Amino acid sequence: MKSPTFRRVAILSLFSVCLIVSTIGAQQLAQNSNSDGTTARLVCKMIERFHINQDSINDEMSSRLVDRYIEDLDPNKLYFLQSDIDKFNASRKKLDDQLLSGDTSFATQVFERYIELMEQQVNIAHQYIDIDHDFDVEEEMTTDADELPWAQTAEERNERWRKRVKYELLDLKLEDKELADAREQLHRRYRTISSNLRLTDDHEVVEMYLTALARCFDPHSSYMSPQTLEDFQINMRLSLEGIGAQLRYEDGFTVVAEVVAGGAADKDGRLKPGDKIVAVAQEEGDFVDIIEMKLKDVVRLIRGPKGTIVRLKVKKGETSEQSVYDLTRQKIEL
């Protein structure tokens, strides 16, 4: 009988092999192929071969994947109706064959329906934010989605949204916010949700889908695209090469949230919290307009090898005056 120490070493060794193979596979995909189908086939092979459970991607796994992917998109059952779920269930025994052949169309089909419903329901949420709610009447809402069936009708779904918005307004009022301020905060929140989801690209949809597949094997597994792997490695190294500024997305603009002490931006002294970066260029090249661009794509434009120059077109937070800053990237310790 093998000792517990031996078993732990064996498990850690297998994990290390899986991580190395995943890294190599991601790098090869980044260099040699832009095909989501190729990605799906490679990930399926890697999971079947290297995952410690040694399970197959079969009809049972396909059925789990349908539930997992839908739950990841709509965990609170606020968007899909039962009729949508019935349509998705038609693929319950098909996804294994599709994935093994590189077909990820189910992911796109479900996500496109989700985006369509998200836009619709966020518009309804904005309407509910502005109506007069009676905060004295006693009402109940179920917060545990596991206890909720999927809504049968649009009216039933909208009633869930009315209670959700009323609860959020009440929660903000309990923080001593004026009703007008609470409404504006919720409007901003839902505008941000909508704009962020609209910027989701095809590769990110596939990443969510393959992560749902990995989580069908165990809750601690996930798929990392080359871009997500880069962010993961930065977090593990606790360092990156860039200008040393924390950014946030706000109403379509990339806004400086904080300047990191000791970084390039801090030493330069011109970039301040509240400034809006509206375009980015490398040392040689044209400016790229980044208004309405996804934040992580903006970050990748700004990051780069230490010693290189990045050019930022900045609109000052206080005056809206526009300037161009040339900053030399350096290694930033996190």
Side-chain angles (χ1 to χ4, degrees):
M1 181 175 178
K2 296 181 176 65
S3 69
T5 302
F6 178 90
R7 288 198 298 272
R8 284 196 296 270
V9 170
I11 290 171
L12 289 172
S13 297
L14 179 58
F15 174 79
S16 299
V17 170
C18 291
L19 181 60
I20 291 169
V21 174
S22 299
T23 303
I24 294 171
Q27 290 170 344
Q28 288 175 341
L29 284 172
Q31 293 169 1
N32 301 330
S33 174
N34 291 319
S35 168
D36 291 329
T38 302
T39 304
R41 287 195 298 271
L42 179 58
V43 169
C44 288
K45 289 178 181 177
M46 294 166 77
I47 288 177
E48 288 189 321
R49 182 176 179 185
F50 293 107
H51 194 277
I52 195 167
N53 288 343
Q54 295 291 292
D55 286 336
S56 299
I57 297 175
N58 50 27
D59 286 354
E60 179 186 353
M61 201 63 65
S62 172
S63 184
R64 285 191 224 166
L65 177 55
V66 171
D67 295 334
R68 173 67 67 181
Y69 184 55
I70 292 170
E71 182 182 351
D72 286 349
L73 291 177
D74 190 5
N76 296 313
K77 298 180 179 175
L78 289 169
Y79 298 99
F80 296 128
L81 295 177
Q82 182 61 55
S83 56
D84 295 307
I85 303 303
D86 292 340
K87 289 178 182 177
F88 302 150
N89 280 338
S91 299
R92 186 165 285 276
K93 301 293 185 182
K94 300 176 181 177
L95 301 188
D96 53 327
D97 297 325
Q98 290 178 5
L99 278 168
L100 290 168
S101 67
D103 181 354
T104 59
S105 59
F106 179 79
T108 304
Q109 170 198 345
V110 175
F111 190 78
E112 286 178 349
R113 177 60 175 160
Y114 171 66
I115 288 292
E116 177 187 347
L117 293 173
M118 182 274 300
E119 293 279 8
Q120 170 186 296
Q121 295 308 128
V122 164
N123 287 335
I124 290 172
H126 284 304
Q127 296 172 28
Y128 283 143
I129 290 169
D130 290 326
I131 68 173
D132 291 326
H133 295 274
D134 185 352
F135 293 108
D136 294 323
V137 66
E138 289 190 9
E139 291 190 290
E140 294 181 354
M141 61 179 286
T142 303
T143 57
D144 186 354
D146 291 337
E147 298 179 6
L148 277 175
W150 293 99
Q152 297 288 331
T153 64
E155 291 75 20
E156 183 182 350
R157 177 177 57 198
N158 289 346
E159 178 63 7
R160 293 181 186 182
W161 275 92
R162 183 190 68 79
K163 290 183 177 180
R164 174 191 175 94
V165 169
K166 182 178 179 180
Y167 171 80
E168 290 174 327
L169 284 171
L170 182 59
D171 192 45
L172 291 171
K173 278 172 61 67
L174 291 173
E175 296 177 7
D176 293 328
K177 286 188 180 292
E178 295 294 331
L179 182 57
D181 294 334
R183 283 173 167 159
E184 179 54 34
Q185 183 170 333
L186 278 189
H187 279 308
R188 284 200 308 271
R189 180 184 300 174
Y190 282 110
R191 283 197 299 268
T192 299
I193 290 171
S194 179
S195 61
N196 285 343
L197 282 172
R198 281 200 306 271
L199 293 173
T200 305
D201 60 37
D202 293 341
H203 294 304
E204 289 174 303
V205 173
V206 171
E207 181 173 4
M208 287 188 285
Y209 188 47
L210 294 179
T211 292
L213 171 66
R215 290 177 63 199
C216 289
F217 286 78
D218 80 274
H220 308 293
S221 293
S222 63
Y223 161 70
M224 291 185 183
S225 68
Q227 294 80 16
T228 302
L229 177 62
E230 178 187 354
D231 293 334
F232 175 77
Q233 290 171 332
I234 286 171
N235 289 329
M236 291 298 97
R237 290 194 305 262
L238 291 178
S239 67
L240 59 83
E241 293 178 348
I243 63 170
Q246 294 183 8
L247 308 175
R248 69 173 185 267
Y249 183 89
E250 185 177 294
D251 294 332
F253 287 96
T254 297
V255 181
V256 178
E258 182 180 343
V259 176
V260 179
D266 180 43
K267 292 176 180 177
D268 179 83
R270 290 176 292 176
L271 198 65
K272 303 293 184 184
D275 290 350
K276 297 176 180 177
I277 303 174
V278 297
V280 178
Q282 306 310 312
E283 185 172 6
E284 295 182 3
D286 298 329
F287 275 98
V288 176
D289 189 327
I290 63 168
I291 296 176
E292 296 288 351
M293 183 181 287
K294 190 178 301 183
L295 186 60
K296 69 179 187 179
D297 293 334
V298 175
V299 168
R300 289 195 174 90
L301 285 175
I302 295 176
R303 282 182 194 161
K306 64 179 180 180
T308 60
I309 292 176
V310 62
R311 308 178 67 211
L312 307 180
K313 191 174 291 185
V314 177
K315 187 176 288 188
K316 298 300 293 181
E318 298 177 352
T319 64
S320 292
E321 177 186 347
Q322 195 162 289
S323 304
V324 173
Y325 302 157
D326 290 9
L327 299 175
T328 302
R329 300 177 178 105
Q330 65 181 54
K331 185 176 181 180
I332 310 295
E333 300 295 338
L334 303 178

